[in-house]
Amino acid sequence: QSVVTQPPSASGTPGQRVTVSCSGSSSNIGSYSVNWYQQLPGTAPKLLIYNDNQRPSGVPDRFSGSKSGTSASLAISGLQSEDEADYYCAAWDDSLSGWVFGGGTKVTVL
Amino acid sequence: EVQLVQSGAEVKKPGESLKISCKGSGYDFPGYWIGWVRQMPGKGLEWMGIVFPINSNTRYSPSFEGQVTVSADKSISTAYLQWSSLKASDTAMYYCARFNSPAFQGGRFDPWGQGTLVTVSS
């Protein structure tokens, strides 16, 4: 059981806005920046959002990140079929002295 | 282009040893930490350990300390993950990834290798 919690699934129709939550504690999200990774089916994870809300070059601006206290969120606006993937949040954790990943959220486009 | 290329899939028997590799290109390999992440079948991502090629410093997740060894050879821009005695429960996909910060707390893993599938079965 991860110390950072995500809902196992989320879904939406094309064009809708979908949000994925990531809940942690003061030893991780509450103190350090959050990164989000996208894992398309059968592929390696890819960095999607870093430092809570920054997008690497090449990531569409329909993806956005935010953080408040010990929770973070990933929002996908204008959902597209190619966004169907698993999404993981991650942060440094003082108790672990290492990185913790959320359990992952499978986003389905209906 | 920054790239990490991992070694191919492995099929091993319980008790056997294994060393998988991750070769970096397109950047100053010795100057960046390389991390290893496990993904068991149908499960999420778990950080295992990390190595700094320039001096071979390492750190491990408590869950993996003593179970695996991470290392690197800066002369050939390659990082390694090894087991001395595999178990069936080691069956998983293993990813390497470059860590993009001098400070652990504020960094991120980018890019990732394509993954190495390790299957342990008698």
Side-chain angles (χ1 to χ4, degrees):
Chain A
Q1 204 77 350
S2 178
V3 298
V4 173
T5 304
Q6 298 180 234
S9 63
S11 62
T13 56
Q16 272 191 328
R17 174 184 168 92
V18 168
T19 61
V20 177
S21 63
C22 174
S23 178
S25 68
S26 58
S27 68
N28 45 65
I29 293 175
S31 299
Y32 304 110
S33 60
V34 176
N35 303 319
W36 289 90
Y37 299 91
Q38 178 193 55
Q39 187 174 32
L40 296 168
T43 70
K46 177 188 116 174
L47 180 67
L48 191 68
I49 297 286
Y50 67 96
N51 288 358
D52 301 335
N53 55 21
Q54 303 297 302
R55 281 187 309 275
S57 61
V59 172
D61 61 6
R62 66 176 183 276
F63 293 95
S64 62
S66 63
K67 189 177 85 171
S68 177
T70 58
S71 294
S73 289
L74 172 72
I76 311 173
S77 303
L79 191 67
Q80 299 184 8
S81 58
E82 58 260 40
D83 299 332
E84 196 160 275
D86 293 321
Y87 294 85
Y88 295 90
C89 60
W92 175 266
D93 184 272
D94 280 335
S95 303
L96 177 67
S97 283
W99 291 273
V100 288
F101 289 90
T105 298
K106 183 175 183 61
V107 170
T108 302
V109 182
L110 301 171
Chain B
E1 180 196 5
V2 176
Q3 201 171 8
L4 296 175
V5 178
Q6 299 185 228
S7 50
E10 301 274 1
V11 179
K12 291 289 191 180
K13 290 182 165 45
E16 291 187 332
S17 62
L18 176 64
K19 192 174 190 177
I20 62 174
S21 66
C22 168
K23 184 172 177 60
S25 61
Y27 74 99
D28 173 39
F29 181 84
Y32 288 81
W33 291 82
I34 293 284
W36 287 93
V37 174
R38 182 176 78 174
Q39 187 169 38
M40 298 179 77
K43 302 298 184 183
L45 306 173
E46 302 171 88
W47 171 68
M48 302 175 70
I50 195 166
V51 58
F52 195 37
I54 203 166
N55 57 16
S56 292
N57 277 356
T58 58
R59 295 186 74 151
Y60 292 90
S61 163
S63 298
F64 292 94
E65 180 103 51
Q67 308 304 308
V68 297
T69 302
V70 298
S71 61
D73 184 341
K74 62 185 178 187
S75 69
I76 55 171
S77 300
T78 301
Y80 302 98
L81 175 65
Q82 67 181 88
W83 296 259
S84 58
S85 181
L86 286 160
K87 302 185 278 288
S89 57
D90 292 317
T91 294
M93 182 72 82
Y94 294 88
Y95 295 101
C96 64
R98 187 182 77 165
F99 188 70
N100 283 358
S101 174
F104 285 150
Q105 291 83 352
R108 65 265 190 190
F109 290 104
D110 179 53
W112 294 56
Q114 84 277 19
T116 296
L117 180 62
V118 174
T119 303
V120 184
S121 174
S122 54

